[in-house]
Amino acid sequence: MANALMIEAHGLTKRFGSTVALDGLDLEVPAGAILGVLGPNGAGKTTAVRILTTLSLPDSGTARVAGFDVVHDAASVQRSIGVTAQDATLDEVLNGRQNLVMIGRLSGLRRAEAKARASELLDRFDLTDAADRVLKGYSGGMRRRLDLAAGLLTRPPVLFLDEPTTGLAPTSR
């Protein structure tokens, strides 16, 4: 699988009215690679991520993630990826540990496995001291670190990070 393509896109296009957000994107990312996409605001980076993560449909072109077609086998794509969007997608009334365990359970992990993985990630992201604090009491940087941990919870073979350093202090980046 070392040479397998984990992300492939051919001729992806997406329009929003008269605005062309993507105009024939071609992309191939092999297993084990790290790809960073840079560009100005409005260049189509988030649109591409939304299509590759099955949150949006392309107007034309094809894309596969972890070997699955993003349009025709979206559920398999979703089971194969981790996603950290630009804005945190966590539950404000739960604490950090509860958020991670809930995400793990919704992703199919057994309760004990979800709890163990949550503890491991809380430690890795330096959130152990705040793990049992309600999310409303977290700083912006703490929320971002928890959101990043959530994207890694299931050890996905493909991880999408959209603006991953937003809200993080330079030492946390």
Side-chain angles (χ1 to χ4, degrees):
M1 186 154 196
N3 293 330
L5 292 178
M6 293 305 284
I7 302 171
E8 35 183 336
H10 302 286
L12 280 186
T13 64
K14 183 69 178 178
R15 291 179 162 273
F16 297 100
S18 62
T19 302
V20 178
L22 284 180
D23 190 13
L25 174 69
D26 293 321
L27 181 65
E28 292 185 346
V29 183
I34 296 173
L35 173 69
V37 180
L38 302 174
N41 291 342
K45 301 178 302 291
T46 296
T47 299
V49 168
R50 289 184 57 79
I51 290 171
L52 294 171
T53 59
T54 76
L55 295 174
S56 185
L57 293 172
D59 293 332
S60 63
T62 61
R64 298 177 71 75
V65 174
F68 302 105
D69 186 280
V70 299
V71 173
H72 298 105
D73 204 356
S76 294
V77 171
Q78 292 164 5
R79 284 190 297 273
S80 301
I81 63 174
V83 180
T84 298
Q86 285 185 33
D87 300 311
T89 54
L90 302 165
D91 190 323
E92 292 281 321
V93 299
L94 299 178
N95 66 39
R97 185 181 315 280
Q98 290 169 328
N99 265 285
L100 293 182
V101 170
M102 176 188 67
I103 291 165
R105 296 288 290 145
L106 290 172
S107 299
L109 298 180
R110 293 183 324 274
R111 183 174 309 281
E113 186 180 8
K115 285 182 175 182
R117 185 69 174 142
S119 291
E120 177 186 332
L121 288 166
L122 288 164
D123 184 53
R124 180 178 291 171
F125 283 87
D126 197 25
L127 292 168
T128 302
D129 291 343
D132 299 314
R133 193 180 331 152
V134 175
L135 205 66
K136 287 188 276 189
Y138 277 37
S139 69
M142 292 168 73
R143 288 172 191 246
R144 189 59 176 164
R145 292 195 323 265
L146 188 66
D147 201 38
L148 290 166
L152 293 168
L153 200 74
T154 62
R155 293 181 173 89
V158 179
L159 179 63
F160 290 93
L161 304 172
D162 194 4
E163 303 281 351
T165 61
T166 298
L168 292 177
T171 55
S172 295
R173 290 180 185 185

